[in-house]
Amino acid sequence: YFANTCDGVLQKNDILTSVLGKPVANNGTIAFGRYGRFDLSILFTLQQVGSSIELDIIRDGKTMTVQATAKPFSRLVPLSEHDVKPRYFIYCGLVFQPLSYDYLDAIDGGSPVLTAAFYAGQQKAEQLELVVLSHTLSDKVNIGYERITDAPIKSVNGQKIRDLTDLVQKVESSTKPYLRICTAEDQDVIVVPSPSNTESTEANKR
């Protein structure tokens, strides 16, 4: 909620000194009545959507006041979903799925990257959901990739992925002989035949 509301208002290296007149400590907390100190995000969650939030900041050595408008938090990773069929895409034995609470629960939380995406990730125009390579069904076209599990996908042939539908479209429309699939922060690079390559057709039939 905090990041979503301040998106486009705060800039890199801004120092937030107070929110709605309440001073912010160096550890990012504010005094909250007789209850002690809490993370400053509590002030944002208490505001109604559309209300104005006054922020005192230091920017480039100068003090100033800026206004943010409270916005709803659009989760990148959805909470538990009921009566919804799991979505997935299998290509050359690679199994892709959108990250969700139920997925994380099934793998006991996953990596710090996945956990951070669940708690703090927010939807943006360029990323509506986080797609992960959940596991690999062994085949001769994907030898060596079985070790890569629960890996967030960053791009296909250098193009960033917006959601599962976007990944499918980028894979199926590729005219290159091979697909280059990169995980987050380029930790792993997966190379498999593209749809125009007969190797992929044979692999998808197996």
Side-chain angles (χ1 to χ4, degrees):
Y1 195 105
F2 170 42
N4 192 44
T5 293
C6 294
D7 189 28
V9 177
L10 295 180
Q11 299 178 8
K12 184 178 180 180
N13 296 324
D14 281 352
I15 300 174
L16 188 60
T17 57
S18 75
V19 177
L20 294 171
K22 291 186 176 293
V24 178
N26 290 337
N27 62 355
T29 63
I30 53 97
F32 199 70
R34 58 188 177 87
Y35 301 103
R37 303 194 68 85
F38 287 84
D39 186 272
L40 66 90
S41 60
I42 192 172
L43 293 177
F44 293 87
T45 60
L46 293 174
Q47 307 309 306
Q48 291 187 341
V49 172
S51 62
S52 180
I53 302 176
E54 187 175 275
L55 310 172
D56 292 327
I57 64 173
I58 299 175
R59 177 178 297 168
D60 298 327
K62 300 178 180 179
T63 59
M64 61 180 69
T65 299
V66 295
Q67 299 289 332
T69 301
K71 301 174 184 176
F73 184 73
S74 300
R75 300 188 62 90
L76 179 63
V77 181
L79 297 174
S80 185
E81 299 175 306
H82 302 283
D83 300 321
V84 177
K85 292 183 178 180
R87 293 180 294 128
Y88 60 89
F89 174 57
I90 302 177
Y91 181 80
C92 284
L94 306 175
V95 184
F96 301 97
Q97 296 178 249
L99 185 65
S100 65
Y101 170 82
D102 297 316
Y103 183 101
L104 285 171
D105 186 52
I107 63 173
D108 294 325
S111 68
V113 173
L114 299 186
T115 302
F118 173 73
Y119 284 107
Q122 58 178 315
Q123 286 184 332
K124 296 183 179 180
E126 64 272 18
Q127 188 177 34
L128 300 180
E129 60 187 4
L130 183 63
V131 178
V132 298
L133 171 60
S134 61
H135 60 286
T136 299
L137 306 174
S138 296
D139 189 271
K140 64 180 182 180
V141 299
N142 59 42
I143 293 175
Y145 298 135
E146 299 91 341
R147 64 178 179 78
I148 305 175
T149 59
D150 310 318
I153 299 301
K154 174 184 176 182
S155 64
V156 173
N157 288 341
Q159 296 181 301
K160 291 187 177 181
I161 298 304
R162 184 172 63 252
D163 53 22
L164 184 63
T165 300
D166 185 46
L167 181 141
V168 173
Q169 189 275 326
K170 283 181 169 58
V171 167
E172 295 184 340
S173 65
S174 176
T175 57
K176 297 181 179 181
Y178 290 91
L179 293 172
R180 180 185 172 89
I181 302 171
C182 295
T183 61
E185 300 180 356
D186 297 323
Q187 289 183 343
D188 292 289
V189 178
I190 301 164
V191 179
V192 291
S194 73
S196 61
N197 190 320
T198 55
E199 291 182 72
S200 69
T201 303
E202 295 172 0
N204 289 326
K205 287 181 180 179
R206 287 194 283 270

